[in-house]
Amino acid sequence: MKQRSSNDWTVADSAELYGIDRWGAGNFCLSENGQVLVQVEFPEGPVSLPLSELVAGAEARGHNCPLLIRIENLLQARVELLNESFAKAIAESGYRNRYQGVFPVKVNQQAEVIKEICRFGKSYSHGLEAGSKAELLLALANLNENSLLICNGYKDREFIDLGLLSRKLGIDCIFVIESPSELSIIIDRSRELQITPLIGLRIKVSAKVGGLWTETSGDRSSFGLSTAQLIEVVDQLRQEQMLDCLQLLHCHLGSQIPDITEIRAGVREAARFYTELSDEGVPLRYLDLGGGLAVDYIGNQSQHSHSRNYDLPGYCRAIVETVAETVDAKRVPHPVLITESGRATVAHTTLLLFNILDVLQFEPLALPERRPDNLHQLVAEQFALNLQAHQPSPANYKRALSNRDQIRDLFRAGEVSLRQRSLAENLFLSIARKTLAWLDQNPDVETELPQLRHQLADIYYGNFSVFQSLPDTWAIGQVYPVMPIERLNEAPTRDAIISDLTCDCDGKLAGFILGHSESPTLPVHSLDADENYILGVFLIGAYQETLGDLHNLFGDTNVLSVKLNADGSFDVVRETPADSVADVLLQTEYNPQELFERMRSRAEAAVRKGVINLQERQQLLNEFSTRLQGSTYFNH
Ligand SMILES: Cc1ncc(COP(=O)(O)O)c(C=O)c1O
């Protein structure tokens, strides 16, 4: 990769460094003047818009960073692409049935997202999957006609009653049995309400998949029936003369499956279950293969857990062909194919934009020109190492590092003063910086000091909370594409980790993909005075919004749903203002009015004691009241 200090840095170098053409999947790219663009296909041709214009448009509407932006067009494109790709694979392979997808609500439950998925999926009868009572309710109210409502997860009587009653409206609500205990409730309630249920069975396949969710399948998975339980449930349904209700077989191998051969193996096993049960006279119609279609977060099309070694057409072909081959062997009719693709449907649509508030640099402060007298011998040596006469080299650096650590020991033992320690540490930073500059000129030697660049990295403080907006980066080490949204025609000469606003050392982004390798630091530009330097975090539409929490009481950010138009303009379809301080206090059992009243009493008492005057009291209470209604984030 090109030297980042070079004067002839181009937009193409930035594209290569941040990998935007690989993970951007045609949705994000760079303009000639160094801006990140969101790009949307229209019949008239592609339209692109700089993200900086979206930020300006949001600010003009009163919504500052941090901003969560959903691009509706990208959601539409994903829903269409998923359905069209299956249709193509089915047509090309001569598969004798159809695809009918569902969106698993848990991957993004936000009202706007669900509403739009149903709207864009209407012509494909794209349905929903619900895993809790709250999800069932929102799914029932949003579901398109002729779409499926698949109910996974554990279900109680209330859940089952509502699902059964919805059948009276003609809704194809299918209860997927996860554990044998659910069956008796379904049988009892359907008899009582005199409504015929639609039933699915979730199986545990033994084929294992790689990635972060290997525990989802296999004997010890917490969901689904063992083969013995499966047979028992089938026999019970037969005995109850309810075998007709059993129409769907379900399995979920895991999320974000990186390897297509493992998907094929899992699908083959599921299709074998389907074939055998059909052979036994179970009138199955649907084979639901769950989620697992991965997103290439790092854009290198590999078996890395954040990537995948296949594309969407390849995924569809693998499923269609494998199911056809397996059921054909026993002359069983081809089932309707269902997948519950979550992250691959919504990841690309959402991005987080936040501004940098401050920077901490690990640079030496001013050093004395002449060596001070009476230095400890190790500090004196540090001084000498820093002089030009010593060429920077890994050996000199290691010597300076050892000196620094010994000087710290001596300080702890009371043998070196604070001022000498300060000088020694400052000298060490100077030596380290010179060594790093020398390594830039001699990249082959960097292997000897692999950590140096990261140890000297700046800390860029971002106006966001990892725990609220990007919880998976903290919880499971998820890596998302992160990059500045402007100045990409300039070399990013600094390396930084990105710290958030929480007072938590875990509140940081310290895992990035650069070129084709992982790095704990992100190349960034040095900040100009008063610059509103904005970083974008991309592909975050799956799981993040509802998994996020209130750590340090940073609330939901401003959210804008945006639609690009063919003429290059954009509409803000929906704007949801960020949580106010009062909102987050309410969520943590405080009553903001009561807090205000307590503050008022305190101020009143202070006036009585003559500690503050009435004007100061008023100023304090006005400020308290305004802050209650204000944002939990920094205003710039
Ligand atoms: C039953 C079920 N279906 C679908 C999904 C969505 O998976 P993905 O986001 O990988 O498509 C999940 C998530 O783990 C799941 O548990």
Side-chain angles (χ1 to χ4, degrees):
M1 204 176 294
K2 194 161 168 182
Q3 282 295 310
R4 281 193 278 126
S5 50
S6 81
N7 287 330
D8 57 351
W9 187 265
T10 64
V11 168
D13 296 322
S14 286
E16 175 57 24
L17 178 67
Y18 296 110
I20 189 167
D21 294 336
R22 293 186 288 273
W23 54 258
N27 303 318
F28 299 99
C29 58
L30 298 187
S31 69
E32 277 174 16
N33 64 351
Q35 302 228 13
V36 176
L37 306 175
V38 51
Q39 185 162 287
V40 168
E41 287 295 332
F42 285 95
E44 301 86 341
V47 161
S48 51
L49 182 78
L51 293 184
S52 58
E53 277 189 33
L54 281 179
V55 175
E59 285 179 350
R61 289 167 174 84
H63 306 298
N64 290 338
C65 285
L67 273 176
L68 195 83
I69 308 259
R70 298 192 201 112
I71 314 280
E72 256 194 14
N73 315 62
L74 300 185
L75 184 55
Q76 177 171 9
R78 287 281 140 185
V79 173
E80 290 175 1
L81 199 63
L82 180 65
N83 283 284
E84 298 292 344
S85 302
F86 265 107
K88 189 158 184 269
I90 282 173
E92 284 174 359
S93 66
Y95 189 85
R96 293 184 297 281
N97 216 323
R98 64 199 153 84
Y99 168 76
Q100 196 173 356
V102 296
F103 177 73
V105 171
K106 73 165 164 214
V107 180
N108 192 324
Q109 299 96 336
Q110 300 297 319
E112 187 67 16
V113 173
I114 297 297
K115 189 183 93 189
E116 295 304 340
I117 287 177
C118 290
R119 182 159 73 93
F120 301 136
K122 192 168 181 190
S123 55
Y124 303 104
S125 301
H126 206 84
L128 296 171
E129 181 261 351
S132 68
K133 278 184 263 189
E135 288 183 357
L136 174 67
L137 262 64
L138 77 86
L140 282 171
N142 277 283
L143 194 76
N144 287 319
E145 275 179 25
N146 305 320
S147 300
L148 297 172
L149 173 51
I150 308 277
C151 300
N152 291 326
Y154 295 108
K155 296 165 271 297
D156 63 4
R157 178 190 153 145
E158 294 168 0
F159 189 121
I160 286 164
D161 277 7
L162 185 57
L164 283 171
L165 290 169
S166 75
R167 298 268 299 124
K168 294 210 164 198
L169 298 181
I171 292 178
D172 281 339
C173 174
I174 306 182
F175 299 126
V176 176
I177 294 179
E178 302 265 5
S179 82
S181 59
E182 286 172 345
L183 182 61
S184 51
I185 314 179
I186 295 174
I187 294 174
D188 291 351
R189 295 312 299 156
S190 58
R191 294 235 160 98
E192 176 84 21
L193 295 170
Q194 298 190 357
I195 300 170
T196 309
L198 291 176
I199 297 178
L201 298 182
R202 178 161 176 175
I203 52 169
K204 287 182 183 181
V205 293
S206 57
K208 278 275 176 197
V209 296
L212 293 178
W213 285 274
T214 48
E215 298 295 314
T216 310
S217 46
D219 294 341
R220 294 290 304 158
S221 126
S222 23
F223 301 101
L225 304 169
S226 67
T227 45
Q229 289 171 330
L230 179 78
I231 296 298
E232 218 172 59
V233 168
V234 170
D235 289 347
Q236 199 181 342
L237 280 170
R238 200 190 302 270
Q239 223 170 28
E240 301 283 347
Q241 300 190 333
M242 287 179 71
L243 205 54
D244 284 359
C245 305
L246 183 45
Q247 301 200 354
L248 179 141
L249 196 71
H250 179 283
C251 80
H252 172 65
L253 298 170
S255 192
Q256 185 66 20
I257 306 174
D259 187 357
I260 194 72
T261 53
E262 293 177 345
I263 293 178
R264 276 188 186 269
V267 169
R268 178 162 296 112
E269 189 175 343
R272 283 285 303 125
F273 274 90
Y274 186 96
T275 313
E276 289 290 318
L277 288 175
S278 301
D279 235 16
E280 280 211 12
V282 181
L284 289 172
R285 290 175 58 202
Y286 302 101
L287 178 58
D288 180 346
L289 296 160
L293 172 56
V295 170
D296 197 355
Y297 291 102
I298 57 179
N300 68 4
Q301 296 188 17
S302 70
Q303 287 182 41
H304 189 289
S305 54
H306 299 319
S307 184
R308 51 170 165 70
N309 65 2
Y310 54 92
D311 56 10
L312 180 56
Y315 173 79
C316 299
R317 272 197 309 276
I319 288 183
V320 171
E321 289 167 8
T322 309
V323 172
E325 277 162 26
T326 314
V327 301
D328 281 350
K330 295 273 179 169
R331 296 204 176 79
V332 166
H334 293 177
V336 175
L337 291 173
I338 301 172
T339 65
E340 303 175 354
S341 289
R343 69 174 69 238
T345 308
V346 289
H348 293 81
T349 28
T350 310
L351 55 133
L352 176 74
L353 299 171
F354 62 85
N355 51 315
I356 297 299
L357 298 166
D358 201 1
V359 177
L360 176 63
Q361 293 190 333
F362 294 81
E363 296 281 356
L365 303 177
L367 283 162
E369 275 172 26
R370 259 181 18 90
R371 198 183 90 179
D373 297 333
N374 302 325
L375 288 184
H376 186 281
Q377 166 245 325
L378 282 175
V379 186
E381 189 183 333
Q382 205 77 326
F383 210 92
L385 280 170
N386 187 42
L387 287 180
Q388 288 305 319
H390 290 273
Q391 284 298 314
S393 70
N396 279 353
Y397 170 78
K398 284 175 190 164
R399 180 89 201 129
L401 181 65
S402 151
N403 284 350
R404 186 201 68 179
D405 292 345
Q406 285 183 61
I407 290 163
R408 285 178 173 172
D409 286 345
L410 291 169
F411 172 78
R412 279 192 285 272
E415 289 171 34
V416 159
S417 71
L418 178 62
R419 285 192 178 270
Q420 289 218 27
R421 174 176 169 166
S422 151
L423 177 60
E425 289 186 358
N426 207 14
L427 284 162
F428 171 72
L429 269 183
S430 168
I431 295 162
R433 279 281 162 208
K434 286 179 186 168
T435 312
L436 189 59
W438 179 78
L439 286 181
D440 280 341
Q441 310 303 321
N442 301 275
D444 300 345
V445 195
E446 183 146 357
T447 44
E448 277 197 55
L449 298 174
Q451 299 304 324
L452 182 56
R453 189 174 301 282
H454 309 316
Q455 279 159 358
L456 291 179
D458 300 339
I459 299 179
Y460 273 44
Y461 293 95
N463 193 9
F464 77 114
S465 157
V466 157
F467 306 94
Q468 177 59 258
S469 296
L470 305 167
D472 275 355
T473 61
W474 166 67
I476 55 167
Q478 177 69 52
V479 174
Y480 294 106
V482 184
M483 65 184 294
I485 64 163
E486 290 184 288
R487 294 178 61 186
L488 294 153
N489 47 0
E490 286 174 48
T493 50
R494 309 291 305 182
D495 293 286
I497 66 155
I498 312 300
S499 181
D500 74 0
L501 289 178
T502 64
C503 316
D504 192 321
C505 60
D506 281 350
K508 62 174 189 262
L509 299 178
F512 308 94
I513 294 296
L514 301 178
H516 289 280
S517 51
E518 290 183 51
S519 163
T521 58
L522 181 73
V524 285
H525 302 90
S526 72
L527 295 202
D528 294 339
D530 293 332
E531 180 184 6
N532 193 23
Y533 190 72
I534 294 178
L535 294 181
V537 187
F538 298 81
L539 315 190
I540 62 161
Y543 300 100
Q544 302 313 284
E545 281 183 69
T546 30
L547 281 183
D549 70 18
L550 287 179
H551 194 24
N552 266 137
L553 299 191
F554 289 104
D556 278 340
T557 64
N558 292 307
V559 183
L560 256 63
S561 289
V562 168
K563 182 165 85 91
L564 270 64
N565 301 313
D567 63 4
S569 63
F570 70 90
D571 298 331
V572 176
V573 183
R574 182 172 176 144
E575 41 196 302
T576 311
D579 283 340
S580 66
V581 170
D583 291 334
V584 300
L585 289 175
L586 268 170
Q587 289 180 54
T588 39
E589 302 173 5
Y590 294 95
N591 178 339
Q593 261 175 328
E594 195 184 303
L595 290 182
F596 181 81
E597 186 47 36
R598 280 199 216 166
M599 203 60 202
R600 197 197 63 76
S601 309
R602 278 194 158 190
E604 218 29 53
V607 170
R608 209 176 320 115
K609 284 188 200 151
V611 179
I612 57 171
N613 61 30
L614 278 174
Q615 201 189 352
E616 287 166 332
R617 178 205 105 117
Q618 216 34 39
Q619 190 185 8
L620 174 69
L621 291 183
N622 283 347
E623 193 61 28
F624 194 92
S625 158
T626 315
R627 291 286 67 83
L628 272 177
Q629 298 318 316
S631 162
T632 59
Y633 292 93
F634 274 38
N635 277 325
H636 60 92

